[in-house]
Amino acid sequence: MAAPSSCFVADVSIPDGSSFYCGSMVHKTWRLRNNGIERWPAGTRVVSSKQNAEGFAKGLSVELGEDTCPGHTCDVSLDLKVPSTAG
């Protein structure tokens, strides 16, 4: 079995550069493509591999709710809290 592989396709919600009130909650959705050769079964966890510019921590994860075949896309979403200080 090959290791799962993905690539970023698009921000579905909340485009880069959006502004929010400090301490507010946001619902962020990304679209990913299965660019590997194996199907991702429902229950597969997508895990961030490094901290990004928005401060999402390494190891942040979300579980897929449905199968995603090679070449197909899926949306993953998280509820996130905006930092309490501006910056």
Side-chain angles (χ1 to χ4, degrees):
M1 178 176 217
S5 180
S6 68
C7 65
F8 172 80
V9 174
D11 287 308
V12 176
S13 65
I14 311 174
D16 287 346
S18 297
S19 297
F20 300 96
Y21 290 106
C22 293
S24 62
M25 294 295 294
V26 297
H27 185 77
K28 176 67 178 175
T29 302
W30 299 269
R31 182 157 295 139
L32 303 177
R33 180 179 323 282
N34 177 347
N35 65 349
I37 60 171
E38 303 264 348
R39 163 184 81 82
W40 299 340
T44 298
R45 296 197 72 80
V46 176
V47 181
S48 63
S49 60
K50 60 183 177 180
Q51 184 165 333
N52 67 11
E54 292 82 22
F56 302 140
K58 180 179 180 176
L60 192 65
S61 70
V62 63
E63 186 173 300
L64 300 180
E66 59 188 41
D67 289 2
T68 305
C69 293
H72 290 231
T73 61
C74 64
D75 290 351
V76 294
S77 300
L78 288 171
D79 291 318
L80 303 165
K81 186 171 183 176
V82 175
S84 57
T85 56

